[in-house]
Amino acid sequence: MSVDKAGTEHGDAGADESGWDIDPDDESGTAVVAAVGRQIKAWREAAGLRASEFGAAIGYGEDQVYKVEGGRRIPRPELLDRADEVLGAGGKIAAMKQDVAEVRYPKKIRDLTKLEAKAVELAAYVAHGLHGLLQTPGHARALFEARQPSYSQDEVERMVAARMARQSIFERSPGLALSFVQEESALRRPIGGTMEWRRQLERLLEIGQLRNVTLQVMPTHREAHPGMDGDIDVLKFKDGTAVGRSHGAFNGCRVTDAKQLRILELRYGIIRAEALTPRETLAFIEQVLGET
């Protein structure tokens, strides 16, 4: 079930699909959702409606209403719109969609998105698979559906939506400098089936032609290089600071120390030097696309 479909289910069958579970360890998110729930409850009681009556009016079950009002469930935008209309809130409930939108994704994704939003330069090497910023929705969905232990379909859609939201980074103006190095094997694996594979390759061609993006492929026949033991990510900011992480260095933890960052940048520089040039990379992707 897609996000849109899940958000428009009515009655008991779709009662538990009108929101997302809140992570109890996400303190800031929990506080926002609890505040929104209290506001909805206050408006409902002021309107003289029981939870069952209110749920019937907006197309959701009584249990779902209690979960949202109790701050145990993140309401979808559609629920807030319907609640605003039914309770005659004049846009006050609907306006809370912006607050909810900021906490609808897992905290670690929100934190990463905030870092990327402040960055002026991003460099990334991915040892296995495609970087999340490069993935199509179908590619990302196939990856999440393959996870074990398995996610529920609602969790899958939430994670896909979070990953796609991060891709607004390509729309920034002025754009930041983005550099990606991908292993050839990631382009040859038909994630999501042949048609989705083709869409993914076409998406890479689009991104690779953006003026602020450098996309390179590391050929499989290259010998050992500094990225063999894991991904490398480095984000640089306007004030001259940076943060980096590598699965193969410093226990996989984020680092901000200048010496440690220089090590990551040295490794990334060698990786880029051994990969195909951006022009060769686009030609290679076109070749793989033609073979599908």
Side-chain angles (χ1 to χ4, degrees):
M1 180 180 294
S2 69
V3 171
D4 290 339
K5 182 178 179 182
T8 55
E9 288 286 341
H10 298 291
D12 293 338
D16 202 39
E17 296 294 341
S18 58
W20 300 272
D21 288 329
I22 184 69
D23 182 352
D25 295 327
D26 181 0
E27 294 183 2
S28 60
T30 299
V32 169
V33 174
V36 170
R38 286 195 298 271
Q39 287 294 315
I40 293 175
K41 182 178 181 180
W43 279 95
R44 174 179 64 78
E45 292 178 341
L49 293 176
R50 294 193 297 271
S52 58
E53 296 171 330
F54 175 55
I58 63 174
Y60 293 102
E62 180 180 3
D63 182 60
Q64 182 63 29
V65 171
Y66 282 129
K67 285 182 179 180
V68 170
E69 292 185 347
R72 291 175 286 131
R73 191 81 164 158
I74 304 173
R76 293 184 187 271
E78 295 85 357
L79 185 150
L80 296 176
D81 283 334
R82 293 185 189 125
D84 191 279
E85 181 180 355
V86 168
L87 298 175
K92 293 182 175 63
I93 294 177
M96 292 188 287
K97 286 188 293 184
Q98 181 176 350
D99 298 314
V100 173
E102 294 180 2
V103 300
R104 63 181 290 192
Y105 306 127
K107 186 176 185 300
K108 65 179 181 179
I109 301 297
R110 300 203 309 270
D111 292 343
L112 177 57
T113 301
K114 288 178 181 178
L115 280 176
E116 291 174 343
K118 295 189 297 180
V120 295
E121 185 177 336
L122 178 152
Y125 162 74
V126 182
H128 304 285
L130 287 174
H131 195 283
L133 291 175
L134 303 177
Q135 295 174 11
T136 62
H139 183 107
R141 183 173 293 106
L143 292 178
F144 288 126
E145 288 178 341
R147 292 280 181 89
Q148 291 295 330
S150 62
Y151 290 130
S152 69
Q153 196 58 39
D154 192 52
E155 289 173 321
V156 168
E157 297 303 336
R158 185 184 181 194
M159 297 298 291
V160 170
R163 182 157 292 182
M164 293 305 104
R166 286 176 57 205
Q167 295 186 9
S168 62
I169 196 171
F170 292 111
E171 302 169 5
R172 277 179 47 183
S173 181
L176 71 165
L178 295 156
S179 172
F180 301 94
V181 180
Q182 294 285 163
E183 288 288 340
E184 175 185 339
S185 58
L187 277 64
R188 294 193 177 279
R189 189 179 296 278
I191 302 295
T194 301
M195 292 307 297
E196 189 57 48
W197 183 21
R198 290 185 59 84
R199 279 191 287 268
Q200 179 62 76
L201 292 171
E202 291 167 352
R203 175 60 175 160
L204 291 176
L205 287 174
E206 293 175 2
I207 293 175
Q209 295 178 58
L210 297 175
R211 289 187 296 175
N212 63 317
V213 174
T214 301
L215 179 60
Q216 295 177 258
V217 166
M218 178 67 74
T220 301
H221 68 262
R222 291 285 198 269
E223 295 184 7
H225 59 74
M228 297 296 291
D229 56 356
D231 299 356
I232 296 175
D233 290 279
V234 177
L235 289 170
K236 295 184 179 181
F237 307 105
K238 189 174 182 180
D239 62 3
T241 61
V243 60
R245 187 177 70 169
S246 172
H247 294 168
F250 317 119
N251 297 316
C253 298
R254 287 183 179 175
V255 297
T256 56
D257 176 74
K259 182 178 180 180
Q260 294 173 323
L261 287 168
R262 281 196 297 271
I263 291 174
L264 296 185
E265 290 187 88
L266 172 63
R267 294 183 180 186
Y268 187 70
I270 295 174
I271 291 171
R272 287 194 62 184
E274 296 187 8
L276 298 178
T277 67
R279 185 183 296 274
E280 291 169 338
T281 291
L282 292 179
F284 177 78
I285 296 173
E286 289 176 345
Q287 175 189 328
V288 176
L289 180 59
E291 296 171 355
T292 62

